[in-house]
Amino acid sequence: YVRGFKMQVMRSHGPALTALGSTAGRVPWGAAQRRRFAEVFDRTLGVSICSDDLPEPDNRVELHPSLVDGDGLPAPRMVYRVGANSRAILDAGMARARELLREAGAHELFDMPLIRDAGFHLMGTCAMGDDPETSVVDRWCEAHAVRGLHVIDGSAFATAAALNPTNTLQALALRVADRIAGRA
């Protein structure tokens, strides 16, 4: 694979989420509940793997064919599938997480599936570039087709890294704001 992943170690959850199986599988109700709860509560941790997702031609945001908002306008719909490179990154990250946990002395390991509709940063739907034929906004996030219209969000990014984009988005917004105000 190309690019990489981030490993995030998280403490165990509180009693209610632990009982519902948030980190170590569902705690059974009945006679075994107290014993199993004592084994896992405050004695578990999770290692989350976040991959650097490359642009995939089939991944996109589009208008839903039938769902509408309160004004009758078509609602947006995210179309996303994990590409081969991203799957390879996730698999490699999970293997390293298992290795880390075994070395740390874990006696039980639980693989959790990819969580649907969680952890995604929608990016790249409004490409930034100098060429209006291949991009929507210029380097200052100003639309090529509509002068004065600035699109300042993650849609101008080419791809989503394995890290949260908030700081980069804030820097981009400040950069563009300075340009609009005539300070850049």
Side-chain angles (χ1 to χ4, degrees):
Y1 60 86
V2 296
R3 306 291 293 228
F5 59 87
K6 172 188 74 164
M7 298 175 85
Q8 180 177 351
V9 178
M10 300 166 287
R11 65 174 175 77
S12 62
H13 292 123
L17 286 175
T18 298
L20 292 172
S22 64
T23 54
R26 192 170 197 95
V27 174
W29 297 114
Q33 196 272 341
R34 186 168 181 84
R35 178 192 53 79
R36 182 62 177 155
F37 187 82
E39 289 172 358
V40 297
F41 177 63
D42 205 27
R43 290 174 173 78
T44 60
L45 63 88
V47 179
S48 171
I49 305 302
C50 185
S51 71
D52 189 343
D53 226 3
L54 296 177
E56 297 281 347
D58 293 334
N59 292 344
R60 64 195 176 280
V61 177
E62 63 185 19
L63 296 178
H64 196 282
S66 59
L67 186 64
V68 296
D69 66 13
D71 294 321
L73 298 172
R77 173 172 69 173
M78 182 178 79
V79 177
Y80 175 83
R81 71 170 184 75
V82 176
N85 189 69
S86 295
R87 182 75 264 165
I89 293 171
L90 292 169
D91 291 345
M94 289 179 70
R96 292 304 305 258
R98 283 187 218 95
E99 180 184 340
L100 175 130
L101 291 167
R102 281 190 200 99
E103 289 293 321
H107 19 165
E108 285 185 87
L109 300 177
F110 301 91
D111 285 346
M112 303 292 283
L114 185 65
I115 300 170
R116 180 173 163 73
D117 298 333
F120 299 106
H121 296 112
L122 301 178
M123 306 239 185
T125 58
C126 189
M128 179 192 294
D130 293 328
D131 184 357
E133 296 297 317
T134 59
S135 60
V136 178
V137 297
D138 66 14
R139 68 185 70 207
W140 298 101
C141 294
E142 186 172 8
H144 292 298
V146 182
R147 298 322 297 175
L149 172 64
H150 291 81
V151 181
I152 308 167
D153 63 11
S155 66
F157 294 179
T159 185
L163 301 173
N164 193 308
T166 301
N167 292 340
T168 307
L169 288 170
Q170 290 172 332
L172 179 64
L174 290 171
R175 177 179 176 269
V176 174
D178 282 344
R179 170 76 186 272
I180 292 169
R183 295 185 297 256

